[in-house]
Amino acid sequence: MINLSTPSDQLLEEIEQDLKKMMWWLNKQKGDSVRSHKRIEMARKYRRRWAELHHRFIGDTLEYKSANGNRWFAYDVIMKPAGANDIIVGTDKFIYWETLNSIGAFLPQWWMDGKTQTLHPSCLIFTSHFFERFSERAKIPYRSREMVMSFVGELNFKPYKEDTDKDGHPILVFRMNHTGFAYGVRRKDNPQVIEVRTYLDESNMTPTKFNHYNELAQRIEAEGFEDDAAWLSFIHAAQSGEVLNT
Protein backbone atom coordinates (compact mmCIF):
# COMPACT_ATOMS: atom_id res chain seq x y z
CA MET A 1 0.00 0.00 0.00
CA ILE A 2 1.42 3.38 -0.97
CA ASN A 3 1.55 6.35 1.37
CA LEU A 4 2.89 9.90 1.39
CA SER A 5 6.47 8.74 1.94
CA THR A 6 6.59 6.00 -0.72
CA PRO A 7 9.54 6.56 -3.12
CA SER A 8 8.40 7.91 -6.48
CA ASP A 9 9.42 4.98 -8.69
CA GLN A 10 7.79 2.47 -6.33
CA LEU A 11 4.68 4.64 -6.17
CA LEU A 12 4.32 4.83 -9.97
CA GLU A 13 4.93 1.10 -10.35
CA GLU A 14 2.26 0.17 -7.79
CA ILE A 15 -0.27 2.56 -9.31
CA GLU A 16 0.33 1.01 -12.72
CA GLN A 17 -0.21 -2.49 -11.26
CA ASP A 18 -3.46 -1.38 -9.63
CA LEU A 19 -4.79 0.33 -12.75
CA LYS A 20 -4.53 -2.78 -14.91
CA LYS A 21 -6.64 -4.81 -12.48
CA MET A 22 -9.02 -1.98 -11.68
CA MET A 23 -9.86 -1.37 -15.35
CA TRP A 24 -10.88 -5.02 -15.65
CA TRP A 25 -13.02 -4.59 -12.50
CA LEU A 26 -14.59 -1.38 -13.83
CA ASN A 27 -15.44 -3.01 -17.13
CA LYS A 28 -17.18 -5.78 -15.22
CA GLN A 29 -19.10 -3.33 -12.98
CA LYS A 30 -20.17 -1.05 -15.81
CA GLY A 31 -20.76 -3.65 -18.51
CA ASP A 32 -17.80 -2.42 -20.57
CA SER A 33 -19.14 1.13 -20.41
CA VAL A 34 -15.71 2.56 -19.64
CA ARG A 35 -14.55 1.56 -23.09
CA SER A 36 -14.68 4.30 -25.70
CA HIS A 37 -17.25 2.62 -27.97
CA LYS A 38 -19.75 2.67 -25.07
CA ARG A 39 -19.32 6.31 -24.10
CA ILE A 40 -22.02 7.48 -26.51
CA GLU A 41 -24.51 5.38 -24.55
CA MET A 42 -23.27 6.95 -21.32
CA ALA A 43 -23.64 10.40 -22.86
CA ARG A 44 -27.29 9.66 -23.58
CA LYS A 45 -27.74 8.59 -19.97
CA TYR A 46 -26.41 11.90 -18.65
CA ARG A 47 -27.63 14.31 -21.36
CA ARG A 48 -30.77 15.41 -19.50
CA ARG A 49 -28.81 16.27 -16.39
CA TRP A 50 -26.25 18.12 -18.52
CA ALA A 51 -29.06 20.23 -19.98
CA GLU A 52 -30.02 21.21 -16.44
CA LEU A 53 -26.52 22.02 -15.14
CA HIS A 54 -24.55 23.28 -18.17
CA HIS A 55 -21.14 22.57 -16.63
CA ARG A 56 -18.82 19.70 -15.81
CA PHE A 57 -20.20 17.34 -13.21
CA ILE A 58 -19.53 13.98 -11.58
CA GLY A 59 -21.73 10.99 -12.32
CA ASP A 60 -21.61 7.53 -10.75
CA THR A 61 -18.82 6.97 -8.22
CA LEU A 62 -17.47 3.54 -7.29
CA GLU A 63 -14.94 2.46 -4.66
CA TYR A 64 -12.39 -0.28 -5.26
CA LYS A 65 -9.77 -1.80 -2.94
CA SER A 66 -6.80 -3.22 -4.80
CA ALA A 67 -4.79 -6.34 -3.96
CA ASN A 68 -2.05 -3.93 -2.83
CA GLY A 69 -4.45 -2.51 -0.22
CA ASN A 70 -5.04 0.84 -1.97
CA ARG A 71 -8.50 2.43 -1.77
CA TRP A 72 -9.51 3.80 -5.18
CA PHE A 73 -12.34 6.13 -6.12
CA ALA A 74 -13.49 5.79 -9.74
CA TYR A 75 -16.08 8.18 -11.11
CA ASP A 76 -17.71 9.30 -14.34
CA VAL A 77 -16.77 12.80 -15.48
CA ILE A 78 -19.23 14.50 -17.80
CA MET A 79 -18.21 17.60 -19.75
CA LYS A 80 -18.66 19.44 -23.02
CA PRO A 81 -15.32 20.78 -24.32
CA ALA A 82 -15.20 23.87 -26.49
CA GLY A 83 -16.25 23.01 -30.04
CA ALA A 84 -17.71 19.60 -29.15
CA ASN A 85 -21.10 18.68 -30.56
CA ASP A 86 -22.12 16.52 -27.63
CA ILE A 87 -21.15 15.85 -24.04
CA ILE A 88 -18.21 13.55 -23.37
CA VAL A 89 -18.12 10.96 -20.61
CA GLY A 90 -14.84 9.70 -19.20
CA THR A 91 -13.76 7.77 -16.11
CA ASP A 92 -11.28 9.34 -13.68
CA LYS A 93 -9.74 7.64 -10.66
CA PHE A 94 -7.52 8.31 -7.68
CA ILE A 95 -6.26 6.64 -4.49
CA TYR A 96 -7.47 8.01 -1.16
CA TRP A 97 -5.24 7.20 1.80
CA GLU A 98 -6.03 7.84 5.46
CA THR A 99 -4.52 7.05 8.87
CA LEU A 100 -5.15 8.41 12.36
CA ASN A 101 -2.62 11.19 11.77
CA SER A 102 -2.84 12.11 8.10
CA ILE A 103 -4.67 11.80 4.81
CA GLY A 104 -3.61 12.02 1.18
CA ALA A 105 -4.69 11.39 -2.39
CA PHE A 106 -2.78 10.08 -5.41
CA LEU A 107 -4.04 11.10 -8.84
CA PRO A 108 -2.45 9.23 -11.79
CA GLN A 109 -1.42 11.41 -14.73
CA TRP A 110 0.49 10.94 -17.97
CA TRP A 111 2.72 13.28 -19.92
CA MET A 112 3.80 13.05 -23.53
CA ASP A 113 7.38 13.39 -24.65
CA GLY A 114 7.15 15.91 -27.51
CA LYS A 115 10.18 14.42 -29.25
CA THR A 116 9.30 10.72 -29.14
CA GLN A 117 5.50 11.10 -28.80
CA THR A 118 5.69 8.58 -25.94
CA LEU A 119 3.39 8.68 -22.90
CA HIS A 120 5.06 8.46 -19.48
CA PRO A 121 3.43 7.89 -16.07
CA SER A 122 3.15 10.76 -13.63
CA CYS A 123 1.28 11.40 -10.39
CA LEU A 124 -0.14 14.27 -8.38
CA ILE A 125 0.09 13.71 -4.62
CA PHE A 126 -2.29 15.77 -2.48
CA THR A 127 -0.82 16.07 1.00
CA SER A 128 -2.45 16.32 4.42
CA HIS A 129 -1.67 20.04 4.52
CA PHE A 130 -3.46 20.53 1.22
CA PHE A 131 -6.60 18.86 2.59
CA GLU A 132 -6.42 20.88 5.81
CA ARG A 133 -6.37 24.11 3.81
CA PHE A 134 -8.99 22.86 1.34
CA SER A 135 -11.33 21.95 4.20
CA GLU A 136 -10.72 25.25 5.99
CA ARG A 137 -11.04 27.56 2.98
CA ALA A 138 -13.86 25.71 1.24
CA LYS A 139 -15.67 25.47 4.61
CA ILE A 140 -16.15 21.70 4.42
CA PRO A 141 -15.77 19.33 7.42
CA TYR A 142 -12.26 17.83 7.52
CA ARG A 143 -11.93 14.11 6.76
CA SER A 144 -15.61 13.85 5.89
CA ARG A 145 -17.17 12.06 2.93
CA GLU A 146 -18.38 15.51 1.87
CA MET A 147 -14.78 16.74 1.76
CA VAL A 148 -13.65 13.83 -0.42
CA MET A 149 -16.50 14.24 -2.88
CA SER A 150 -16.03 18.03 -2.99
CA PHE A 151 -12.37 17.38 -3.78
CA VAL A 152 -13.44 15.05 -6.59
CA GLY A 153 -15.73 17.76 -7.94
CA GLU A 154 -12.84 20.23 -8.04
CA LEU A 155 -10.43 17.98 -9.97
CA ASN A 156 -10.92 19.82 -13.25
CA PHE A 157 -7.44 21.14 -13.82
CA LYS A 158 -4.03 20.50 -15.30
CA PRO A 159 -0.68 22.03 -14.38
CA TYR A 160 -0.57 25.11 -16.54
CA LYS A 161 1.89 27.53 -14.98
CA GLU A 162 5.42 27.22 -13.68
CA ASP A 163 6.05 29.96 -11.13
CA THR A 164 8.20 30.75 -8.09
CA ASP A 165 7.25 31.23 -4.46
CA LYS A 166 8.23 34.24 -2.32
CA ASP A 167 11.69 32.72 -1.76
CA GLY A 168 12.29 32.10 -5.47
CA HIS A 169 11.73 28.32 -5.36
CA PRO A 170 9.95 26.75 -8.38
CA ILE A 171 6.28 25.79 -7.93
CA LEU A 172 3.44 24.62 -10.16
CA VAL A 173 0.10 26.41 -10.04
CA PHE A 174 -3.18 24.59 -10.72
CA ARG A 175 -6.58 26.18 -11.21
CA MET A 176 -9.13 23.98 -9.48
CA ASN A 177 -12.63 23.78 -10.88
CA HIS A 178 -14.26 26.89 -9.43
CA THR A 179 -13.07 27.70 -5.97
CA GLY A 180 -9.37 28.48 -6.06
CA PHE A 181 -5.82 27.41 -6.84
CA ALA A 182 -3.54 24.59 -5.71
CA TYR A 183 0.24 24.84 -5.47
CA GLY A 184 2.69 21.97 -5.87
CA VAL A 185 6.39 21.12 -6.17
CA ARG A 186 8.18 18.45 -8.16
CA ARG A 187 9.85 15.65 -6.21
CA LYS A 188 13.62 15.56 -6.43
CA ASP A 189 13.75 11.78 -6.95
CA ASN A 190 11.33 12.04 -9.91
CA PRO A 191 10.15 15.40 -11.32
CA GLN A 192 7.06 13.73 -12.80
CA VAL A 193 5.72 13.13 -9.29
CA ILE A 194 4.29 16.40 -7.99
CA GLU A 195 3.34 17.04 -4.37
CA VAL A 196 0.38 19.43 -4.18
CA ARG A 197 0.95 21.02 -0.79
CA THR A 198 -1.56 23.80 -0.28
CA TYR A 199 -4.77 25.41 -1.50
CA LEU A 200 -5.52 29.11 -1.87
CA ASP A 201 -8.66 31.01 -2.73
CA GLU A 202 -9.08 34.63 -3.80
CA SER A 203 -8.85 35.94 -0.23
CA ASN A 204 -5.36 34.40 0.17
CA MET A 205 -3.85 35.97 -2.97
CA THR A 206 -2.98 39.44 -4.19
CA PRO A 207 -5.54 40.77 -6.71
CA THR A 208 -2.84 40.98 -9.41
CA LYS A 209 -1.76 37.35 -9.05
CA PHE A 210 -5.33 36.08 -8.75
CA ASN A 211 -6.40 37.92 -11.91
CA HIS A 212 -3.32 36.70 -13.78
CA TYR A 213 -3.87 33.02 -12.94
CA ASN A 214 -7.61 33.34 -13.46
CA GLU A 215 -7.15 34.74 -16.96
CA LEU A 216 -4.87 31.85 -17.88
CA ALA A 217 -7.44 29.37 -16.56
CA GLN A 218 -10.27 31.06 -18.47
CA ARG A 219 -8.32 30.89 -21.70
CA ILE A 220 -7.77 27.18 -21.20
CA GLU A 221 -11.49 26.65 -20.55
CA ALA A 222 -12.51 28.75 -23.55
CA GLU A 223 -10.04 27.35 -26.08
CA GLY A 224 -9.94 23.72 -24.97
CA PHE A 225 -7.32 21.18 -26.03
CA GLU A 226 -7.88 18.28 -28.41
CA ASP A 227 -4.80 16.32 -27.38
CA ASP A 228 -1.66 16.32 -25.26
CA ALA A 229 0.41 17.91 -28.04
CA ALA A 230 -1.88 20.96 -28.11
CA TRP A 231 -1.72 21.13 -24.31
CA LEU A 232 2.08 21.01 -24.30
CA SER A 233 2.19 23.75 -26.94
CA PHE A 234 0.09 25.96 -24.68
CA ILE A 235 2.30 25.23 -21.68
CA HIS A 236 5.39 26.15 -23.66
CA ALA A 237 3.78 29.38 -24.82
CA ALA A 238 2.66 30.27 -21.29
CA GLN A 239 6.12 29.67 -19.87
CA SER A 240 7.77 31.73 -22.61
CA GLY A 241 5.38 34.64 -22.10
CA GLU A 242 3.62 34.26 -25.47
CA VAL A 243 0.18 33.63 -23.99
CA LEU A 244 -0.04 36.33 -21.37
CA ASN A 245 2.40 39.02 -20.38
CA THR A 246 3.33 38.44 -16.75
Side-chain angles (χ1 to χ4, degrees):
M1 181 172 63
I2 61 177
N3 57 50
L4 295 175
S5 61
T6 302
S8 296
D9 290 346
Q10 180 183 338
L11 181 147
L12 293 175
E13 181 180 355
E14 189 163 319
I15 286 177
E16 188 173 9
Q17 291 173 358
D18 278 6
L19 282 172
K20 291 178 181 178
K21 296 179 180 179
M22 186 171 67
M23 291 307 296
W24 176 86
W25 179 82
L26 281 173
N27 286 334
K28 186 175 180 181
Q29 298 297 313
K30 292 172 172 284
D32 290 337
S33 61
V34 295
R35 296 180 180 176
S36 58
H37 69 278
K38 289 287 186 178
R39 288 183 178 170
I40 293 176
E41 295 178 17
M42 294 176 72
R44 289 173 182 158
K45 172 182 176 182
Y46 289 114
R47 188 176 289 115
R48 179 175 296 179
R49 186 175 175 193
W50 173 266
E52 296 171 353
L53 297 178
H54 296 289
H55 60 74
R56 172 189 181 272
F57 67 92
I58 302 301
D60 296 337
T61 301
L62 297 173
E63 292 188 36
Y64 168 80
K65 188 169 184 178
S66 74
N68 289 318
N70 298 311
R71 180 186 179 192
W72 286 85
F73 282 79
Y75 49 93
D76 295 339
V77 181
I78 301 89
M79 66 192 81
K80 189 175 187 295
N85 294 323
D86 202 349
I87 65 173
I88 294 175
V89 179
T91 303
D92 282 354
K93 39 207 135 349
F94 74 96
I95 293 173
Y96 180 70
W97 175 82
E98 182 172 6
T99 67
L100 290 174
N101 299 316
S102 60
I103 61 177
F106 305 83
L107 181 69
Q109 301 277 285
W110 287 265
W111 67 278
M112 180 177 286
D113 186 324
K115 294 181 180 179
T116 64
Q117 299 297 299
T118 303
L119 284 173
H120 299 275
S122 180
C123 183
L124 300 179
I125 301 175
F126 296 85
T127 65
S128 295
H129 187 268
F130 166 86
F131 280 109
E132 288 173 4
R133 293 294 175 260
F134 179 73
S135 170
E136 171 190 332
R137 289 162 181 166
K139 296 179 173 59
I140 302 168
Y142 185 55
R143 288 178 177 257
S144 65
R145 173 80 178 186
E146 179 187 357
M147 185 200 73
V148 176
M149 298 316 298
S150 294
F151 168 72
V152 168
E154 291 298 325
L155 287 177
N156 183 26
F157 65 88
K158 293 184 177 180
Y160 66 84
K161 177 66 177 174
E162 297 270 1
D163 204 349
T164 56
D165 63 15
K166 62 181 180 180
D167 298 317
H169 300 133
I171 57 174
L172 289 114
V173 181
F174 305 81
R175 163 68 184 268
M176 297 189 73
N177 195 22
H178 297 294
T179 60
F181 297 85
Y183 287 72
V185 297
R186 297 185 185 276
R187 275 191 172 183
K188 292 182 179 180
D189 65 339
N190 189 327
Q192 300 311 319
V193 176
I194 299 165
E195 293 188 4
V196 184
R197 294 182 174 177
T198 196
Y199 170 83
L200 301 176
D201 58 20
E202 184 174 4
S203 66
N204 308 118
M205 305 174 68
T206 64
T208 299
K209 179 151 284 193
F210 179 83
N211 291 335
H212 169 56
Y213 290 151
N214 209 39
E215 184 173 345
L216 275 176
Q218 289 171 355
R219 290 193 183 195
I220 292 172
E221 292 167 2
E223 296 172 10
F225 297 95
E226 295 180 355
D227 52 36
D228 288 335
W231 170 251
L232 288 173
S233 297
F234 181 88
I235 288 292
H236 175 75
Q239 292 173 354
S240 62
E242 298 167 9
V243 174
L244 184 69
N245 293 326
T246 54

